[in-house]
Amino acid sequence: MRPPQSGTIHLNQSVDPVVSETKFNVALSDFKQIEAINRERGVFLIRAQFPDIVLAFAAARIRPAIIVFAVKINFTNYDLEAPSVQFVDPLTEKPLKMNEIWSYMDRKLPTTGQLQTIPLIQSHAPNFIPFLCLPGVREYHHHSRHSNDPWFNHRNTGEGTLGFLVDQLHKYGTNAYTGYGPLQISVRRPNLNTFEVLTQGLKFSADPKLLHL
Amino acid sequence: MISIDKQNSQHGNAGNKNGNKGNENDGDGSGNGSNGNGSDGNGNGGDGNSGNGNGNNGNGNGGNGNGNNGNGPKDEKKVLLTIIVSGTATIVEANPNQKMRIVAQKALEQTGNTARPLEEWTLKTRDGSVLEFEKTVEHYGFADGAQLIMSLSAGVGGQY
């Protein structure tokens, strides 16, 4: 059995490209039809050219609005294959590693008592490339841990469409964020009269009421 | 009027029964068709033509109880809701008395999203407030052109 791999699954187009591109164009057209609503909830179209759509996700409840993450959604072989979701830098489209991600897309667990969450963005050795661990996403279905849950169990059920992915990325990725602050704070006192406060990193704070199961 | 869902049909049946009852009472107004035309399921309520009991219209003529509730004119103006189902916009004509469940189901059907049950969908306003399926359109006070968002619950994930 091959070891689990995390990260983006790249494919060569083997489906008739006209089929995949037509479905890509329909999805893109639907997105553009409600572009104002998407922008209102912090979802911006950066670029779209078959087979890729690059979207940025901002925390719409925070001012100034901050881009929390961006994704490149790839529709190669769509929809014989599920679309791929790759986390990229919103300015350069450079693929990111896990330590360059600021949101882990926390999902509420159905527990009583204390709030518990699980991150939908996962990564692991050897490459620590983040991927969205969710049915309807190519990286999920190609992962050896999910060989018992193939894409064909989900195809044509509403999962794995552009609209579905946008909804989930917004719902778990940015919607609950209401503020942010430094990830780490350190205080140094170089002499008796001086304090130095150093901050490092960034951490978003979520309103627990806005977290979803 | 155009029927847009099963709920109207249910109302129609109720109207028919009440209509018959009205006939028994010699059309004294106590037997009002509550809200609909039982013969074809068309919502025929609130035609606003009378505030009086209208037993004559509910005369057991094969379910033709006129949906007159006897409470005077009632605004039954339908509203057009734009519902975005997993990113695809569709327009649903809704009766104020309809439950959001009916409206949501119609939106799913119009966008071809019938593979998953309604319970796996969430209906929200644009500002993110979750709407209850058992409440009516009127309860939320939606005006023509209101935009709602439906999203599908995600499957089990987060455990590679």
Side-chain angles (χ1 to χ4, degrees):
Chain A
M1 186 173 153
R2 65 192 168 102
Q5 295 285 320
S6 80
T8 311
I9 304 295
H10 297 282
L11 300 171
N12 293 322
Q13 182 76 34
S14 54
V15 172
D16 183 344
V18 174
V19 172
S20 293
E21 188 164 0
T22 299
K23 294 186 175 187
F24 171 92
N25 287 333
V26 169
L28 182 61
S29 171
D30 283 348
F31 181 92
K32 286 183 172 176
Q33 194 181 352
I34 58 163
E35 201 160 13
I37 291 175
N38 279 321
R39 195 179 309 127
E40 188 177 273
R41 55 181 182 163
V43 186
F44 296 82
L45 176 64
I46 296 178
R47 178 177 73 80
Q49 184 175 17
F50 181 76
D52 296 321
I53 293 178
V54 181
L55 300 170
F57 288 76
R61 299 178 194 276
I62 300 175
R63 289 293 179 277
I66 295 174
I67 295 176
V68 181
F69 61 87
V71 292
K72 182 189 284 184
I73 302 177
N74 177 274
F75 286 80
T76 300
N77 288 342
Y78 187 72
D79 60 350
L80 180 66
E81 294 275 359
S84 159
V85 178
Q86 181 181 32
F87 292 88
V88 298
D89 183 278
L91 306 183
T92 66
E93 293 186 29
K94 173 181 156 284
L96 300 178
K97 292 244 179 170
M98 194 62 174
N99 60 4
E100 298 170 303
I101 295 279
W102 301 106
S103 168
Y104 302 104
M105 295 185 63
D106 290 325
R107 183 181 200 174
K108 194 160 71 172
L109 290 174
T111 54
T112 56
Q114 192 174 7
L115 175 70
Q116 292 182 46
T117 60
I118 186 170
L120 290 177
I121 298 179
Q122 299 272 335
S123 76
H124 54 74
N127 49 16
F128 293 98
I129 294 174
F131 65 100
L132 183 55
C133 187
L134 205 62
V137 176
R138 188 188 304 163
E139 284 72 24
Y140 169 94
H141 294 293
H142 276 255
H143 199 282
S144 58
R145 290 277 179 89
H146 299 295
S147 57
N148 63 343
D149 190 17
W151 162 238
F152 278 89
N153 285 354
H154 299 268
R155 184 172 176 257
N156 291 332
T157 66
E159 293 168 293
T161 64
L162 177 63
F164 171 82
L165 295 174
V166 168
D167 280 349
Q168 308 310 319
L169 288 163
H170 166 256
K171 179 163 68 175
Y172 296 112
T174 57
N175 184 50
Y177 290 152
T178 53
Y180 64 94
L183 183 64
Q184 287 183 327
I185 301 174
S186 56
V187 180
R188 205 165 67 92
R189 193 171 188 184
N191 58 57
L192 285 176
N193 300 321
T194 311
F195 283 99
E196 280 183 4
V197 179
L198 302 172
T199 63
Q200 193 175 15
L202 185 71
K203 181 178 171 57
F204 289 96
S205 52
D207 181 344
K209 294 193 293 291
L210 297 172
L211 291 171
H212 286 269
L213 289 170
Chain B
M1 264 185 214
I2 298 169
S3 174
I4 64 169
D5 60 48
K6 292 177 182 174
Q7 186 170 341
N8 272 338
S9 179
Q10 289 165 358
H11 284 167
N13 288 337
N16 187 21
K17 287 177 188 172
N18 289 335
N20 286 334
K21 189 177 177 183
N23 201 25
E24 289 168 11
N25 288 327
D26 200 22
D28 62 2
S30 63
N32 297 320
S34 65
N35 192 16
N37 185 335
S39 62
D40 61 7
N42 282 338
N44 197 17
D47 59 7
N49 62 358
S50 168
N52 298 320
N54 194 354
N56 288 334
N57 285 332
N59 60 4
N61 60 355
N64 210 9
N66 194 346
N68 185 329
N69 62 13
N71 290 324
K74 188 174 178 181
D75 185 6
E76 286 282 331
K77 186 177 182 300
K78 293 187 175 182
V79 291
L80 296 177
L81 303 175
T82 300
I83 303 185
I84 295 147
V85 184
S86 260
T88 303
T90 188
I91 294 174
V92 174
E93 187 183 36
N95 185 314
N97 295 324
Q98 279 180 321
K99 288 184 176 176
M100 296 309 296
R101 165 180 298 279
I102 304 297
V103 176
Q105 189 63 49
K106 189 79 177 176
L108 293 182
E109 288 166 9
Q110 287 179 189
T111 54
N113 282 290
T114 53
R116 301 272 291 269
L118 181 63
E119 284 65 32
E120 294 187 24
W121 293 83
T122 305
L123 181 62
K124 294 181 178 181
T125 60
R126 277 179 75 162
D127 66 7
S129 303
V130 177
L131 303 174
E132 293 180 37
F133 287 138
E134 299 310 318
K135 298 257 171 77
T136 63
V137 173
E138 191 173 37
H139 172 84
Y140 290 111
F142 293 127
D144 248 353
Q147 295 171 325
L148 309 176
I149 297 173
M150 282 187 83
S151 60
L152 181 61
S153 298
V156 176
Q159 297 164 318
Y160 68 80

